[in-house]
Amino acid sequence: MADLTDKQTFSDEDALEFHRSPTPGKISMAPTKPMATQRDLSLAYSPGVAIPVLAIAADADKAYDYTSKGNLVAVISNGTAILGLGNLGHMASKPVMEGKAVLFKRFADVDSFDVEVRTTDPDEFITVVKNIGDTWGGINLEDIRSPECFVIESELQDLLDIPVFHDDQHGTAIISTAGLINACHITGKKLEDIKVVLAGAGAAGLSSIGLMKAVGVRAENTVIVDRDGVIYKGRDGVDQWKAAHATDTPHRTLAEAMVGADVVLGLSAKGAITKEMVASMAPNPIIFAMANPDPEITPEDVASVRSDAIMATGRSDYVNQVNNVLGFPYIFRGALDVRARRVNHEMKVACAQALAALAREDVPDEVAMAYRGRKLKFGPDYIIPSPFDPRLIWYIPPFVAQAAMDTGVARKPIEDMEAYRTELRSRLDPSAALMQNISGAVRAAPNKRVVFAEGEETAVIRAAWGFKQAELGTPILLGREELIRKNAAEAGLDFDAMGIEIVNARVSEHNVDYTDFLYARLQRRGYLRRDVQRMINQDRNYFGAAMVARGQADAMVTGVTRNFNMVLKEVRRVLDVKDRMIGMSILLAKGRTLFVADTSIHELPNAEELAEIAIQAAATVRKLGKTPRVAFLSYSTFGNPPGDRGEKVREAIRILDQRGVDFEYEGEMPPELALDPDARGAYPFMRLTGHANVLVMPAIHSASISTRLVQSLGGARVIGPLLVGLEKSVQIVSLGASVSEIITAATFAAYDEGAAAEG
């Protein structure tokens, strides 16, 4: 398999496994109606469906009201220009198109499905898309080679009455234009005065130069260079799209054109721009080297000849990434919400200007967390917003929508723009944001050494590698080095390049110290010294926990090869409980983040234990950055029907009343009252101010069964149970846990240790 980049932070097998498991692909369909009763079925299909059918037959625009059309985008390709890999065929493009659909949903809550068209003939492609076009609210064209992409987009815009947007052209154009606006702002240059050179006259390059002209760059101040040299007026063999940007210029090479230039846009190939060319540019040069995976010139090479340059690339491992995900989700969000007939020039300009304006505002903490705690602020190293800026969803689409309204392409104008912004804020699922915040906090904190106890297991090795590559901390693998290296090689990992520490318990220099420490704890509990020595030598859970206890590591993750209870007993012989120990699961479903306790420790908690569980869960949720609202769940609703378990819950409430805790709580109640404030009409005395986000279960079986049931039904993600309350941070994964589950557990282990250290 081809080596895509020397900075690739995952193995080929990781990529294949990600796309293969647990379900092939990256998208699925979820119904928006319950379909739980005969009435639901009658309304959804026959005979009820006939009513909207007749309404749409009378007025086709009613499809926006009665179907998903208004929030549905098709990502369509023929695979003739896939990710810079070339023409690999329509089916080879499917993973990319699915990926685009995932980004639409993740960043802008736009439903999207991929369509791969088996033709390389532009006319045939246009015919296919024209005939299915009415199905969608918009069409995103992707990975179609130039110059056919210009013809296809232009004709489909004329043939269809919905937005048709070729992201390879316009996405790059919008983001780079936003960056140019801000780079000029920083350097004090005026758009109408700057001299701009474009290296690479493909779809993205020509669209970028066109949009930059629309925001103020003068046509006579631009020079475009393709593989044959400068595109000047009168040059032979130039197609109509390049010819439209030809200028009267004496320059014939890129090197000549860059002398005295203020800006160079690179959309060509690695090495196309040299240090000498950069050195010849005007003061405070603006260099956007956007070829992927390797830019035309690296920031390091630019810095070696120019200390006054502002640099942007297409890569995430350098500052100022020109990333199309900043554009297309929000362009379509705004266009769909006003039912736009097309994405016009004014909407693209509005998006670029809005992105530029957002980058100039104070950067929120969530973005700093994504960048390892580095506090970002507008300047040469931050001219383009981060894709992880949570404000993008509500900041950008209103500008796009307003431009559509102002130019007359909106079918459904927005009357209250502030209410629209509020609605946009509530669209995104918080699950990805939660993990991003946790990972960002871990990166921002001092580096943590995390023990991966079952270090010989292939899944654990891959997880440790992923943990290290994500720069979440320093992993330590416990096991025999020869076997670990063998399993790493079989997994396709270059272990020497991993730089991960291996510790073999049998030969560790800390063996005696750990034995002395553990024997002092267990000598009056029936253990002889030789028993303890054997435990330290032969059981990695004892050894790993001792590493954490004695300060040679900060946290530990284990459980892949043994059941939870066995592992917990071993860890508890080494580490004490600091607070009440509980198991807490995080349930992410339908835009909500719920914390469920206790899911692993207390089998049948009494009233005092239930109160303690609530206190510990609330404290943990607050540490995760949320405001806890605790609901004690039960089969009983405030005493009806009566029963033993319900009485214990009521007693727990009385205990919390006496303690005067600093969080909202209420109970006992069924889930519907906890999660739906509108269902509480018969109970005006309830103290919860909104939906509960911490659910305290009456017993471990109800907690465990409910979380696993929801997960098994699909549409939800469950993290955990997380182990909370030990004196040191240890997380125990489920038997046979996946690589991603191990990484998640290790991340929480590192996060918990960091938060404990701060506290």
Side-chain angles (χ1 to χ4, degrees):
M1 195 167 292
D3 182 18
L4 300 183
T5 169
D6 59 355
K7 290 196 175 184
Q8 183 172 315
T9 59
F10 50 84
S11 69
D12 291 347
E13 181 55 33
D14 285 334
L16 294 174
E17 178 65 17
F18 178 86
H19 285 80
R20 178 172 55 229
S21 300
T23 302
K26 298 188 288 284
I27 59 174
S28 65
M29 186 182 76
T32 60
K33 302 298 189 291
M35 300 303 297
T37 67
Q38 178 63 39
R39 183 174 187 274
D40 293 338
L41 183 61
S42 297
L43 287 169
Y45 201 56
S46 181
V49 74
I51 310 304
V53 165
L54 293 172
I56 295 169
D59 180 359
D61 275 355
K62 291 295 182 181
Y64 285 99
D65 298 322
Y66 303 130
T67 75
S68 61
K69 176 183 171 81
N71 195 50
L72 196 60
V73 168
V75 181
I76 304 183
S77 180
N78 61 5
T80 52
I82 304 174
L83 285 181
L85 299 174
N87 182 1
L88 300 180
H90 69 293
M91 285 311 297
S93 74
K94 190 172 179 67
V96 183
M97 302 311 111
E98 281 192 356
K100 203 64 175 279
V102 169
L103 296 179
F104 265 117
K105 189 65 178 177
R106 163 64 180 90
F107 288 100
D109 194 29
V110 172
D111 294 323
S112 178
F113 287 96
D114 59 297
V115 178
E116 291 74 37
V117 181
R118 189 178 60 183
T119 182
T120 58
D121 178 75
D123 291 332
E124 190 173 354
F125 186 95
I126 290 166
T127 299
V128 170
V129 178
K130 177 191 70 173
N131 288 331
I132 64 172
D134 287 347
T135 299
W136 320 95
I139 289 175
N140 185 104
L141 299 172
E142 190 80 13
D143 287 357
I144 302 170
R145 66 190 172 196
S146 174
E148 288 97 324
C149 60
F150 300 119
V151 176
I152 289 170
E153 183 190 47
S154 178
E155 292 202 22
L156 286 174
Q157 284 175 336
D158 292 337
L159 291 167
L160 297 173
D161 200 28
I162 57 174
V164 178
F165 183 84
H166 182 216
D167 185 51
D168 298 317
Q169 291 182 60
H170 309 303
T172 302
I174 289 166
I175 315 310
S176 60
T177 299
L180 179 66
I181 291 169
N182 279 341
C184 288
H185 183 94
I186 292 166
T187 58
K189 298 182 179 186
K190 295 181 179 180
L191 288 167
E192 61 268 26
D193 296 334
I194 58 173
K195 178 181 176 182
V196 180
V197 177
L198 169 64
L206 295 179
S207 183
S208 295
I209 206 74
L211 193 62
M212 289 174 183
K213 290 177 183 178
V215 299
V217 174
R218 291 179 178 173
E220 61 267 26
N221 289 343
T222 64
V223 177
I224 299 173
V225 185
D226 65 10
R227 67 185 63 188
D228 297 319
V230 171
I231 298 172
Y232 55 89
K233 287 188 176 179
R235 196 184 101 175
D236 294 333
V238 177
D239 64 43
Q240 66 189 76
W241 297 280
K242 293 179 182 179
H245 296 283
T247 54
D248 286 319
T249 175
H251 304 311
R252 293 298 180 265
T253 67
L254 177 60
E256 292 175 5
M258 283 183 61
V259 175
D262 296 287
V263 181
V264 61
L265 308 174
L267 284 155
S268 53
K270 177 182 179 180
I273 298 173
T274 67
K275 292 182 182 181
E276 292 75 19
M277 294 177 188
V278 170
S280 73
M281 295 179 71
N284 301 309
I286 299 165
I287 302 162
F288 289 2
M290 297 177 283
N292 265 320
D294 297 300
E296 288 80 0
I297 186 169
T298 66
E300 292 88 349
D301 283 345
V302 169
S304 71
V305 293
R306 298 298 295 257
S307 61
D308 58 342
I310 292 180
M311 183 83 187
T313 72
R315 292 180 61 137
S316 61
D317 48 356
Y318 292 122
V319 299
N320 297 327
Q321 183 190 17
V322 179
N323 190 333
N324 284 17
V325 79
L326 287 166
F328 69 84
Y330 312 111
I331 279 273
F332 272 98
R333 181 73 275 155
L336 291 171
D337 290 338
V338 294
R339 299 182 185 173
R341 290 186 164 86
R342 63 190 299 125
V343 173
N344 58 27
H345 221 50
E346 292 81 1
M347 294 161 73
K348 299 171 202 170
V349 168
C351 185
Q353 291 175 334
L355 285 167
L358 181 60
R360 295 194 293 269
E361 295 194 1
D362 185 47
V363 182
D365 291 340
E366 291 93 333
V367 178
M369 291 170 71
Y371 287 85
R372 307 171 197 171
R374 181 164 58 95
K375 182 62 178 176
L376 301 172
K377 63 179 181 179
F378 179 63
D381 291 340
Y382 193 78
I383 61 173
I384 303 169
S386 161
F388 297 108
D389 193 323
R391 300 170 299 180
L392 285 162
I393 180 62
W394 58 263
Y395 192 98
I396 306 301
F399 287 96
V400 176
Q402 188 65 56
M405 292 156 56
D406 292 343
T407 55
V409 298
R411 289 186 183 87
K412 184 184 176 185
I414 295 170
E415 296 181 2
D416 187 338
M417 198 60 74
E418 193 55 42
Y420 175 51
R421 290 189 179 92
T422 300
E423 184 265 327
L424 288 171
R425 287 176 188 265
S426 66
R427 270 190 172 272
L428 288 184
D429 186 339
S431 61
L434 173 69
M435 285 311 301
Q436 178 63 41
N437 289 346
I438 298 299
S439 298
V442 170
R443 293 188 186 100
N447 183 71
K448 295 292 181 287
R449 291 166 55 83
V450 179
V451 176
F452 289 71
E454 297 139 313
E456 296 173 356
E457 298 296 314
T458 301
V460 176
I461 295 170
R462 290 177 58 210
W465 187 85
F467 186 81
K468 174 76 179 268
Q469 291 300 312
E471 300 184 350
L472 294 164
T474 300
I476 302 167
L477 289 170
L478 298 189
R480 292 163 289 181
E481 182 168 353
E482 181 180 353
L483 183 56
I484 291 174
R485 286 182 174 276
K486 175 178 176 291
N487 290 340
E490 290 178 354
L493 303 177
D494 181 355
F495 197 87
D496 290 326
M498 292 164 66
I500 294 175
E501 183 179 350
I502 298 174
V503 175
N504 187 334
R506 285 182 177 273
V507 297
S508 170
E509 62 182 9
H510 298 291
N511 205 291
V512 174
D513 176 48
Y514 295 168
T515 299
D516 290 342
F517 165 74
L518 188 55
Y519 181 55
R521 289 176 60 86
L522 300 181
Q523 60 190 355
R524 296 181 182 277
R525 293 163 59 182
Y527 291 86
L528 300 177
R529 183 180 177 82
R530 64 172 178 265
D531 298 327
V532 175
Q533 178 70 64
R534 186 167 55 251
M535 292 156 65
I536 291 294
N537 279 350
Q538 299 181 6
D539 194 303
R540 290 167 199 144
N541 284 329
Y542 288 113
F543 188 91
M547 284 186 73
V548 175
R550 300 299 285 167
Q552 273 79 47
D554 299 296
M556 172 173 142
V557 61
T558 185
V560 175
T561 61
R562 299 185 191 175
N563 68 56
F564 181 92
N565 288 334
M566 180 181 293
V567 174
L568 182 59
K569 286 179 181 177
E570 293 171 346
V571 170
R572 284 281 291 107
R573 291 186 181 116
V574 184
L575 298 171
D576 291 326
V577 174
K578 179 179 65 176
D579 303 309
R580 167 74 61 179
M581 186 170 63
I582 67 169
M584 187 177 75
S585 295
I586 304 177
L587 177 63
L588 306 160
K590 294 189 176 180
R592 287 189 180 182
T593 302
L594 301 175
F595 302 89
V596 184
D598 177 358
T599 50
S600 63
I601 304 298
H602 297 86
E603 184 175 1
L604 288 170
N606 59 34
E608 182 70 27
E609 288 171 331
L610 284 170
E612 291 288 346
I613 289 169
I615 292 170
Q616 181 68 287
T620 303
V621 168
R622 186 169 278 132
K623 191 164 65 175
L624 291 171
K626 305 288 185 181
T627 301
R629 291 185 297 276
V630 179
F632 288 81
L633 296 193
S634 173
Y635 67 92
S636 175
T637 307
F638 301 111
N640 182 33
D644 249 2
R645 280 281 102 193
E647 179 52 41
K648 285 183 171 59
V649 174
R650 289 190 290 278
E651 178 59 24
I653 295 293
R654 289 191 286 269
I655 291 170
L656 292 182
D657 288 343
Q658 293 167 4
R659 293 193 184 183
V661 295
D662 63 347
F663 56 85
E664 292 183 20
Y665 59 93
E666 187 58 279
E668 81 280 19
M669 69 182 79
E672 60 268 25
L673 290 187
L675 301 177
D676 183 7
D678 293 337
R680 300 172 187 170
Y683 308 98
F685 53 83
M686 284 187 66
R687 294 175 286 193
L688 295 180
T689 58
H691 76 267
N693 57 3
V694 181
L695 308 180
V696 176
M697 296 290 188
I700 194 172
H701 58 267
S702 54
S704 180
I705 291 171
S706 60
T707 51
R708 293 185 183 186
L709 178 62
V710 171
Q711 187 174 29
S712 297
L713 289 173
R717 181 185 179 192
V718 176
I719 298 173
L722 303 173
L723 193 59
V724 176
L726 278 176
E727 62 172 330
K728 297 287 186 178
S729 182
V730 176
Q731 292 301 333
I732 303 173
V733 298
S734 59
L735 193 67
S738 68
V739 172
S740 62
E741 289 169 337
I742 300 167
I743 293 174
T744 297
T747 304
F748 272 98
Y751 178 86
D752 190 46
E753 175 59 25
E758 291 172 9

